[in-house]
Each structure stands twice: as structure tokens, then as C-alpha cells.
Amino acid sequence: MIWTVYLSGEIHTDWRERIQAGCAELELPVEFVSPNTDHDSSDAAGDHLGTEENPFWRDHKSSKVNAIRTKNLIESANIGVVRFGSQYKQWNAAFDAGYLAALDTPYITLHDADIIHPLKEVDAAAMAWAQEPEQVVEILRYVTQGK
Amino acid sequence: MIWTVYLSGEIHTDWRERIQAGCAELELPVEFVSPNTDHDSSDAAGDHLGTEENPFWRDHKSSKVNAIRTKNLIESANIGVVRFGSQYKQWNAAFDAGYLAALDTPYITLHDADIIHPLKEVDAAAMAWAQEPEQVVEILRYVTQGK
Amino acid sequence: MIWTVYLSGEIHTDWRERIQAGCAELELPVEFVSPNTDHDSSDAAGDHLGTEENPFWRDHKSSKVNAIRTKNLIESANIGVVRFGSQYKQWNAAFDAGYLAALDTPYITLHDADIIHPLKEVDAAAMAWAQEPEQVVEILRYVTQGK
Amino acid sequence: MIWTVYLSGEIHTDWRERIQAGCAELELPVEFVSPNTDHDSSDAAGDHLGTEENPFWRDHKSSKVNAIRTKNLIESANIGVVRFGSQYKQWNAAFDAGYLAALDTPYITLHDADIIHPLKEVDAAAMAWAQEPEQVVEILRYVTQGK
Amino acid sequence: MIWTVYLSGEIHTDWRERIQAGCAELELPVEFVSPNTDHDSSDAAGDHLGTEENPFWRDHKSSKVNAIRTKNLIESANIGVVRFGSQYKQWNAAFDAGYLAALDTPYITLHDADIIHPLKEVDAAAMAWAQEPEQVVEILRYVTQGK
Amino acid sequence: MIWTVYLSGEIHTDWRERIQAGCAELELPVEFVSPNTDHDSSDAAGDHLGTEENPFWRDHKSSKVNAIRTKNLIESANIGVVRFGSQYKQWNAAFDAGYLAALDTPYITLHDADIIHPLKEVDAAAMAWAQEPEQVVEILRYVTQGK
Amino acid sequence: MIWTVYLSGEIHTDWRERIQAGCAELELPVEFVSPNTDHDSSDAAGDHLGTEENPFWRDHKSSKVNAIRTKNLIESANIGVVRFGSQYKQWNAAFDAGYLAALDTPYITLHDADIIHPLKEVDAAAMAWAQEPEQVVEILRYVTQGK
Amino acid sequence: MIWTVYLSGEIHTDWRERIQAGCAELELPVEFVSPNTDHDSSDAAGDHLGTEENPFWRDHKSSKVNAIRTKNLIESANIGVVRFGSQYKQWNAAFDAGYLAALDTPYITLHDADIIHPLKEVDAAAMAWAQEPEQVVEILRYVTQGK
């Protein structure tokens, strides 16, 4: 069994790379999927469908094109990892967590201790809270190896 | 048919009251449900189950007690209204939006124009974006009356 | 048991009234639900959320507000009746039929014989094809009385 | 991951070929599925099960044989593309769109601007509206590559 | 809680009446639903939709009209009772049993000992096998009273 | 796509072999699955779990062991073929048809014209009625090739 | 909204009565449902269907009759309370907990601290762990009142 | 078709090995999955996420990390085998059985005759009761070979 892991959230640090590198080193049977993590191309995903003067509709079109991707990937996942940085709003990450919770797909949160309180509902529905990407790697190692 | 409307999100302004008052005045066939909107009692919801020194576990216990309520109410809803203020993180509101989206329950977002961009994924899955509670009342009037 | 019947489609003839009157006369345990059947107010359902210059977005906003209603009503229905006139495109009626089919909710089509061929896929998933509203009344009488 | 794309609707222009050629050129990880797009053999799909004098039953039998195919293919799809020409009734395409919507499978509509208004409900449930097959190719490129 | 009990199968003996009378005497919180149990009107359920020369299509139309009723009633049931007489084919009863099994709705079979062997698959998916209607009454009494 | 076809019902004629041979000759992308079609070993499937004096329990144990197989295979199927001979009770075949109907999996019935009437409910939920295995082969050819 | 609470597990102490009395005193909008809590009549639930010499089959028949009740009640519940005494095996309580978990219905465990370790999987899927029935009452008060 | 078999429960005897060896010898198309069966590493599965002084939370964290694994594996299974030794509480095994029952996934119980009575609810929802691992092998042989 290959485990599909959906990596949701923050795009400004190297947490995805550290998780992927850690799992690769251990040769875990894991496949990673993510939304587009490039901010500019994500915002422009719908631009080729026609220019919008109203920024709401530009965002709307691009977000829906992105959602074709993310909806499929989230629903294909065995496990979610949802990352929150301490600075940004990252409502899309919390949205993904709620989506995973409703699908009853296990997910892990990854964030620092200083945002425990505002994330309490998101953490309450999670199967684990990690502070470092390497802890996520260790969870994935354990979960896929069962020992 | 009585329509159940779940009011999720921000607790610092009177948006819930304005929606409820507006619908009451029109005698709409609508029933409103909400999470606990009192911050302190929400944080303390699990305290009677035993004291925790680690704030993570205090939050964890209280959030899960709250989730017994919110999970049932969200799943009973015909319509969600998800409110974001411009200041706070409100990850629980975005979590609820994701949950509603995964259940394929229609929801309306309620927020100012200055946070359109960070909310684009949440708005993309919504059926309407309102800026004022009275617009939500008008949507509920139209939707329940069909004219 | 009160049976909920969703009446979808054409808005230019009195087929809804004839079905409702026929069922009322027989005092059948039936409750009827419909989308907004007034063309102008349906098109304007989202206008109060802000003016759109681009007609696509005006339609988009209004259709989504309408969908909050129709999605809930279709999902609450025990039976659908989908009416096609011989003239118009009525893609929303065919859309509703597909929605009902995917939910595995039984539906009846109501249309003249001259459009049998273009409606063959819609009829193939239906439980009955009627040509007159009074035939639908007779089906509803039989189905709810069981004799 | 190979993405399965269901191509529904109009059969009189080369839109399917243009999408498939465009994706092949880009070597996208996409597999296309379609209903039978040959009008005559589609109409005759049930003829070998016995002759019908009544054209309704001939259509009925053939449509059901076709539905064995389409129902399986639609339910296997990650993404739908639903094409409407400006002339024909194409109720089967709108039916497919409703079916996809009820399954909560993302779909893209492909049609000219002159039929925006009658398609507003179908577009409202879609994730994107394209006017040219090449725009669909670009969406599929973006969605499968995530950048 | 009112328990809905679907009574499926044989129509030539008074088993339905005996179960209903027994439950009425005990004032159990039970509501009974059944397909049309009148053979002639059941066969004619679709006749008003137009005459068919081919008996297959007459049966087809009537069966589908009946199915609008039975599908809704079966899906509303908390418990099924499926009755097989020793003589007839009663494929509709076995069909209902399979339908109930797939819905994971508990059902009771009611039949004599001489047809145990041909009914073994139907009995294997049942929660109880009764030989007399009064045993079904006793099960319903116990199940609804819990003592 | 490999299509999984579940072959349910009668075990005394060579209909399964004829369907399989016909599809093999055409090299259709079809995989066939069936319950155990050997009467004696099917009846004895649970004997190794301990002897039963009461024939009801022997049947019960064997049927449940068989159901581990059939339940999985039916649920894996894209298409069912349900065969009824003119002589036997074959309640397991009708049970399978009901199970397929509840799963909304398309199925084809295969039986002679002399049992149309008792099978009317089973045929009403089917996508096609065939009288000869070769007609089923032709349906499978058409459905998998789409032309 | 009336909340349905399923009370599963141990039958030798007065925990059910204490929860029910506590909720009655507070006039909470709660309805309680339980399996049969009388050991002897539960074991005898299937006896009227015929005597069994083999105790396995007596248990089997009675358990299935009980399951008609419990399956319906569990599936109707908004909240489960699963009670474990410190002495008995109570595999049925753990079974109910697993059933509730798979349905994604929130449940509360009620047990002493000395069995934390063997119950860790059951507690991990629970929304709260209480040691006294009065704590369950307080949870139900909070959850139904939302404050 | 490769059949996935989930092996749940007791970890102190060699029942898993005997089942796996028996199936390997017969070259059955079976893949086995299990929770972590090593007691110490299972208890420590969450330790790397931070030390807990309260043993409840240590168990809680480890159990949830384990549940990421078991939830995925149970949901991927075609068949469950749930083993109860005569000594231990093994509430996790009964929990898994309830979970499998709610998913409607067929499972086999494996236990001695002396615990028939306390396991009656768990056995009632099972498809077979075996006393020896070799009987499970024979069931798996029969089920996968269909003869």
C-alpha cells in the first residue's frame, strides 16, 4: 500500500521539503500531494479564462480552478498534514482541515506552541499535533511501518 | 419546512442578533443554531472533567466538548452563514466552512471587502458573499419564500 | 407520511397548478416544493449583493442564491416531477433530472410526444413519462395510497 | 495519479479532439472517457434486444444500454467537461452536469457567450466556464501539474 | 420513537393483518407500510399512461410506478418483514430483501420450514427467521420496548 | 479501464461460459466474478467450522461464508448480470438484483419470455433484459467500446 | 431540537438512572435510548423463535433480535455514552463505541481511572472521558444549551 | 483481485503467523494488514511528540497515532479477522469489530468456546466464528477461490 499524504497550508518555509526529504531517506511508501504552492501562479490560475476588473471575481475564478485540483487531492488522501505559520491568516489551511474532518480522514497539525489557543478546534479534530516537520516524518514512518 | 441555519464565526459584533432580528421581523420559517458564542465558558467547557496544567490539554478537552455540539448542529443545518471579522484569526470559522463544503451544505460568507483575498478559497466554495447581516436576511427571505 | 414532491422545469404553463389542484381535490398527503417560478425575480435574486456589469456574474450570483433553495428542496424530495415544454432549452430542468438521478430519487417526466427523442436519456432514468398533469396526479394518488 | 476526465455533450464539432490533442502534446497524466459520440449507433444500442414499433421504447432501450456505460464512466471521473453547442437541446449534457453536481465532482462548462443566460444554473454549479477547448486544456494542465 | 416496519412479500394469506392486529392490541409504537397488495391494481398501475400491446412494457410501466412507492417506503423503514409463501416465486420479496440488506436495514423473514434451503442466502442476511406472524409481533414488541 | 461484471443466478446451464467465451473472443476489457457455482461445495462452505444437526444452521453457516465472497464481489462490480431459469426459485438471484439496485449498480437480466410477469419488479430496476447470453455479450461489447 | 443520547454498556450500577435524573432535573431537551438492560430477558430475546440445544445458537438468535433494536437506536443517536465497569468484559460496549466511531457520532466514555490503559483506543476516539455520571450530565447540559 | 484482510486483536499467541503461513502455502491472493502488534512500541507511538506526565494523555497521544494507521487499514479491508484470547480485555478488538460492522465489512471472529457468551453481540454481527487459525485459512481459501 502506498499512502497518499496531502500537505496543506503555509508556503513560506521549507516544511514540505523537510517532510519529503525525511520520508525519502527512509524510503517510506508515501506519495505526497499538495495544492499549488506558488503564490503568484495560484492567484493567476483563472486569468486565461478572461480578464476581470473586479478583484473578487479574479480571485473567485482562480480559486475555483485551484479547487478542481485540491478537492480531488484531498479526497484521495489517506492522511493530511495541515501547517500553520504563526503570522498569516491561512484560512485555506483551516478550511482544508475542516474538509478533512468532515471526510473523517485523519490529519496531523504542524504549528508552533504560540498559536495553540486559536487553533484549538482544528487541533481537537486532528490525530496529532507536531511542532517540527521531523516529527511528522516519524509519525509517517510509524504509521506506514506499524512498528 | 423549517430551515435550520448555522451561524459560525466571529463573536465580537452583533451580526447574529441582526440576522435573527431581521428574520424574526419577517416571520421567516428559520431556526438558528450556533456554537457557544461566549468566549470564557467555551474555553472552560471541559474544566469540570479535571484540571489540566498543560494549556494544550485544557484547550483540547474543551474544544472536544464544544465539538459534540457543533458537529451535530452543523450536520443538521440546511444553510451555513460563516462570519469573518477583519482582525482575528478565526480558524474555527474557516474550519466550519470546510466542514460545510465537504458535506455539500450551502453556505454564505459574511465579511468586509478588505479580506477578500485571504478568504478566496472559502468564498469560492460559498453560495454567496454578503457584507452586511441584512443582506443575509434578504437571502434567507428569498431562499425560504422562493420569490 | 407526507410525501414531498419537487416540481422542476417549465414556468410558462399552468402544469404546477393543475397538479396541485388535482392533489388537493383528492386530499393526498403530498407537499409540493418548487424553485422560484417567477422569471424576473429569479434573475434578480443576487442583485442586492452588489451590482455587476458583466451579465455572466449577475447570472452567477443569482443562480447561486437560487441554488441554496433548490439544492435543499431537491434533497428533501421523495419524488421529482420534471416538466419540459416543447420550445425552450430548459437546461435547468435537465440538470435537476440528473441531480435527482444521482441521488437515486424517483422522478416523473412530463412532456409532449414530440420531444421524446431529445429527452431519451432523461426519460430513461425516470420512473414514468406523463403527457398531462392529470396523469401525474393519478401517479401521486396511486403511489401515496398504494392502491 | 492519472486524472480521469469525462467529456460530455455536443457531438457535432471537434472539441473533444482538440482537448485530447492539446493534452497529448503536453503529455498530461490524463485519461479521457466519453459516451458513445456516434449518433446512429447510440440510437441503435438496444436494437439487438428486439425490435420496437413504438419509438419511445426503442429510445428507452437504447438509452438504458448507453446509461450502463455513462453511469460508470461519470462515477469514475475526477473532472467533467460539459460542452453545449449553441443550437441543439442537449438535455443529456445538462443531465450529466446535474449528475456530476450531485456527486460533487468538479466540472467545467464549455460554451459560447450567447448561451450564458439559459445555462446559468449549469454554470453556477461548475468550477469554470471556458469558451474554447484550448482553455480547457490549460485548466487540465494547471490542475494536474499544480503550477 | 415510532418504528416504521415495511411488510414485503406474499399477498395471498392474512399475515399482514395478523401482525398489525397483534401490534395494535399491544399498542406498540409501530407504523406499517407495504407495497400495494392488490394484484390487479398493482398490475394496472401504469395503464393510465397509455396502452401497451407488448406485455413486457405494460409490466415495465406498472412496476416502475409501483417502485416510486416501494423505494421510498423501504428507505424509510427501520425494520423489514419479508414473507415467503411456499408456492409462488415471489422474486419481488427476495429483491426487497436484497435491497434491505444493501441498505443495512435489519429485516425478519417469515416462512415455513420447508423452504429453508432455497431461502438460505435471504435468511443469512436476516436478523431473525419467524414461522408465524405472532412471532414477528413478539419480536416487534421486544425490539420497541427493549425488555 | 477493466470492467468488472458480476454473474449472478442460475447454475444449471452454460450461460456463464457462453458470455465469457463471447467476450474472450472479442478481447473485451472485462473481468468476470461469480459466486461459487458448484451446488455441493456451496452448501458445505461452513461445514469445517463444526457439524450442525439442525439443517437451518448448516445452511446459515455456509450461506454466511458464501456471503463474505459475494458481498465483496457485488460491491466491486461495474455491471451485474442476473440470470433466472424458468424452473427454480432462485431467490438468491433476486436478492442479488435487489442488492445491486440499492447500490445503484447497473444490471442486466437474462431470462426467457415466459417469466416476464413474475420478474417484473426485477426487470423494472434493470438496464436491459436479454434472452440469450450472446445479447449480453453484445451489450458488454457496446458498453465497453462505446460504439 | 431534542437530542437523542444512546446509553451503552454496563448494567450493574445506577449510572443510567443518575444521568437521566440529572438531566430531568435540569429539564434538558434530551431523549435517552438504551439496549435492553435486563440480563435475563436479553439473553432470552430469541427463545420464542424455537429452542436451541447449542448455546452458541441461542446466543446468536437473541443477540440478533437485540441488534434490531440497538442498530436502529445507535444510528438515531446524536451522542453516545459508553460505560465500562472495572470488572466485566463488556465487549458489547466496546463494540458500540467502534460502531459510533465509524458513524462519526460523538461519544463520551464513562469509566474509572484504573482502566485507562486497556481503554486507550476507545478513549482516543471519544470526545470526552468522564468518571462520574454527573460529569456526563454537565456535558449534556453544556452541549444542549451551548453556554 | 487481491483481497485485503485486516487482522485485529490479541497479540500474545501466534494466530497471525499461522493464518499468514497457511495462506502463503496455498498461494492465496490475500494481503494481510494489522495494527502494530508490538505492545511497547505501540504504547510509545506518540512519545516523540513530547513527554506527558499524566498517563491518560500519553495513552491518548499514542492511541491516536496508532489510529491513523488502523483507521486507514480497516477501511481498506475486504475482510476482518477479530481475535479474542480468553484472558484479556481486548476492548480494542471489540472496538474494531464494531467499526467493521458499521462499515458493513464482513468479519470473522476467532476465539475459544469458553467466551461465546460475553462475545455474543460481536459474534452476531460476524459472518463466521472460528476456533482455530486453520479454519480461518480455509474460509479465506474458499472465499477467494469460490469453490
Side-chain angles (χ1 to χ4, degrees), chain B residues 76-98:
Chain B
S76 77
N78 298 101
I79 301 172
V81 180
V82 188
R83 162 70 184 165
F84 293 87
S86 296
Q87 293 180 274
Y88 302 93
K89 302 215 157 172
Q90 305 157 97
W91 285 320
N92 55 326
F95 180 89
D96 284 354

Side-chain angles (χ1 to χ4, degrees), chain E residues 12-73:
Chain E
H12 302 97
T13 62
D14 63 349
W15 68 277
R16 279 187 182 80
E17 289 69 26
R18 284 164 65 187
I19 290 174
Q20 291 177 343
C23 290
E25 200 171 338
L26 295 168
E27 299 183 355
L28 300 184
V30 171
E31 176 188 46
F32 292 98
V33 291
S34 284
N36 179 4
T37 57
D38 177 66
H39 196 277
D40 290 343
S41 67
S42 172
D43 282 1
D47 286 357
H48 67 98
L49 296 170
T51 318
E52 298 295 334
E53 296 191 12
N54 184 334
F56 181 83
W57 293 121
R58 188 201 177 208
D59 278 345
H60 200 70
K61 279 163 64 175
S62 291
S63 295
K64 281 192 162 169
V65 170
N66 278 301
I68 299 175
R69 175 177 175 83
T70 52
K71 187 174 177 55
N72 271 288
L73 295 182

Side-chain angles (χ1 to χ4, degrees), chain G residues 11 16 21-22 29 43 52 57 59 63 72-73 81 86 88 97-98 113 115 126 139 143 147:
Chain G
I11 58 172
R16 279 187 181 82
D43 282 2
E52 298 296 333
W57 294 121
D59 277 346
S63 295
N72 271 288
L73 295 182
V81 181
S86 296
Y88 302 93
I115 48 176
I139 295 175
V143 163
K147 60 189 177 186

Side-chain angles (χ1 to χ4, degrees), chain G residues 74-103:
Chain G
I74 284 186
E75 294 184 0
S76 77
N78 299 101
I79 301 172
V81 181
V82 189
R83 162 72 184 163
F84 293 87
S86 296
Q87 293 179 276
Y88 302 93
K89 301 216 158 174
Q90 305 158 97
W91 284 321
N92 56 326
F95 180 88
D96 284 355
Y99 204 98
L100 288 160
L103 296 179

Side-chain angles (χ1 to χ4, degrees), chain G residues 10-66:
Chain G
E10 191 233 12
I11 58 172
H12 302 97
T13 62
D14 63 351
W15 68 276
R16 279 187 181 82
E17 288 69 26
R18 284 164 65 187
I19 291 174
Q20 292 178 342
C23 291
E25 199 170 339
L26 296 168
E27 299 184 355
L28 301 184
V30 170
E31 175 188 47
F32 292 98
V33 290
S34 284
N36 179 5
T37 57
D38 177 66
H39 195 278
D40 291 343
S41 67
S42 172
D43 282 2
D47 286 356
H48 67 97
L49 296 171
T51 319
E52 298 296 333
E53 295 191 11
N54 184 335
F56 181 84
W57 294 121
R58 187 199 177 209
D59 277 346
H60 199 71
K61 279 162 65 174
S62 291
S63 295
K64 281 191 162 169
V65 169
N66 277 301

Side-chain angles (χ1 to χ4, degrees), chain C residues 26-85:
Chain C
L26 296 169
E27 298 183 355
L28 301 184
V30 171
E31 176 189 45
F32 293 98
V33 290
S34 284
N36 180 4
T37 58
D38 177 66
H39 195 277
D40 290 342
S41 68
S42 173
D43 282 2
D47 286 356
H48 67 97
L49 296 169
T51 317
E52 299 295 333
E53 296 190 13
N54 183 335
F56 181 83
W57 293 121
R58 188 200 176 207
D59 277 347
H60 199 70
K61 278 162 65 175
S62 291
S63 295
K64 282 192 162 167
V65 170
N66 278 301
I68 300 176
R69 175 177 175 85
T70 52
K71 187 174 177 54
N72 271 288
L73 296 182
I74 284 187
E75 294 185 0
S76 77
N78 299 101
I79 301 172
V81 181
V82 189
R83 162 71 184 164
F84 293 87

